[in-house]
Amino acid sequence: MVRIDLHAHTTASDGSLTPEELVRLAKQQGVTTLAVTDHDTIAGLSQAMAEGEQVGVDVIPGIEISCLYSDVELHILGYFINPDDPHLEPALARYRASREDRNPRIVQRLQELGCTLTYAEVKAAAGTATVGRPHIAQALVRRGYVSSVSEAFDRYLADDAPAYMPRLLPSPAEAIGLIRQIGGIPVLAHPVYASRLKEPFEQVCATLKGLGLLGIEAIYSSHNRQQTDRYRSISRNQGLLVTGGSDFHGEAKPNLLVGTGYGNLAVPAALLEPMKALAEARKEA
Ligand SMILES: [Zn+2]
Ligand SMILES: [Zn+2]
């Protein structure tokens, strides 16, 4: 079976492998097409694409942009984007600034909760990558407040935990609009996370489609069979593309592998054709 994976992160955002390492691992895993979709950055794309050419993996230039829908954070994947589009970098710089702005507030909150921790330690954990919650988690592990990254999330950092701080995010209209403006196909990532919304999922999809959404990531590492079938049928009913990916992060998500997710992920290569056709049609339009 030809294996593809349309959702993976590198050290350019919160993944633990460099773009080159990610592409080489994908190759080892038998992945023939890989989309690199870092959070709010395209910094890893050129290395990933160059490595893909070297080792023989088709790398789709992608991105994952966070947005806020009725107080719930949703992620919009963008595929076949043009990384050189002049509209992209100024918008991403704004989004990153809001992310950067949140992290010192989380550290401050942790200090209030009794954890001796400095922002410098968090930055050190991040190295050259964009600082994210996983780096704060690593710093908490190093200080001995928790024994693992997942415990750090459970006790402090998860969306409903005491040190959680919301950040200013673009609206779905802005995130979807930006992806379309730079030639990309906007797709709702991990739709199961949208179950935090009170609104019925079908209605959320219809609203997002009205804003220009073109697909749903129906096939996803943590979806069970029933969820996959449900999201597939909603996509079909609403005339949206079906996509699929692992959301590979490396160490930050142990046991989750590129290409196979938690072991039973299988993203059919046949999904690529309609995506490519749509990307081409949009280029010509
Ligand atoms: Zn995501
Ligand atoms: Zn992701």
Short mmCIF file of all heavy atoms in Angstrom, two decimals, residues 7 39 64 75 189-190 247, ligand 1:
data_model
loop_
_atom_site.label_atom_id
_atom_site.label_comp_id
_atom_site.label_asym_id
_atom_site.label_seq_id
_atom_site.Cartn_x
_atom_site.Cartn_y
_atom_site.Cartn_z
N HIS A 7 0.04 15.64 7.59
CA HIS A 7 0.05 16.49 8.79
C HIS A 7 1.24 16.11 9.66
O HIS A 7 1.24 15.07 10.31
CB HIS A 7 -1.27 16.29 9.55
CG HIS A 7 -1.52 17.28 10.65
ND1 HIS A 7 -2.77 17.48 11.21
CD2 HIS A 7 -0.68 18.12 11.32
CE1 HIS A 7 -2.68 18.39 12.17
NE2 HIS A 7 -1.44 18.79 12.26
N HIS A 39 3.09 24.96 12.87
CA HIS A 39 2.18 25.97 13.39
C HIS A 39 2.66 27.37 13.04
O HIS A 39 3.74 27.80 13.47
CB HIS A 39 2.12 25.90 14.93
CG HIS A 39 1.53 24.64 15.44
ND1 HIS A 39 0.18 24.35 15.38
CD2 HIS A 39 2.10 23.56 16.05
CE1 HIS A 39 -0.05 23.17 15.93
NE2 HIS A 39 1.11 22.68 16.34
N GLU A 64 -0.12 25.09 9.42
CA GLU A 64 -1.30 24.90 10.29
C GLU A 64 -1.50 26.20 11.06
O GLU A 64 -0.64 26.60 11.84
CB GLU A 64 -1.09 23.72 11.25
CG GLU A 64 -2.29 23.46 12.14
CD GLU A 64 -2.17 22.18 12.97
OE1 GLU A 64 -1.03 21.70 13.19
OE2 GLU A 64 -3.22 21.67 13.42
N HIS A 75 -7.86 24.58 14.40
CA HIS A 75 -6.67 24.67 13.56
C HIS A 75 -7.05 24.46 12.10
O HIS A 75 -7.78 23.53 11.79
CB HIS A 75 -5.63 23.63 13.99
CG HIS A 75 -5.07 23.90 15.36
ND1 HIS A 75 -4.22 23.04 16.00
CD2 HIS A 75 -5.25 24.96 16.19
CE1 HIS A 75 -3.89 23.56 17.18
NE2 HIS A 75 -4.51 24.72 17.32
N ALA A 189 -8.36 20.95 10.59
CA ALA A 189 -7.54 19.90 11.21
C ALA A 189 -8.32 19.20 12.33
O ALA A 189 -9.23 19.79 12.92
CB ALA A 189 -6.26 20.51 11.78
N HIS A 190 -7.92 17.97 12.62
CA HIS A 190 -8.48 17.18 13.74
C HIS A 190 -9.87 17.65 14.17
O HIS A 190 -10.04 18.22 15.26
CB HIS A 190 -7.53 17.16 14.95
CG HIS A 190 -6.79 18.45 15.21
ND1 HIS A 190 -7.40 19.60 15.61
CD2 HIS A 190 -5.48 18.76 15.09
CE1 HIS A 190 -6.50 20.55 15.76
NE2 HIS A 190 -5.32 20.06 15.44
N ASP A 247 -0.38 14.07 12.44
CA ASP A 247 -0.05 15.13 13.41
C ASP A 247 1.20 14.74 14.20
O ASP A 247 1.29 14.96 15.41
CB ASP A 247 -1.22 15.43 14.34
CG ASP A 247 -1.23 16.86 14.84
OD1 ASP A 247 -0.33 17.64 14.46
OD2 ASP A 247 -2.15 17.21 15.61
ZN ZN B 1 -3.50 21.16 15.42
#
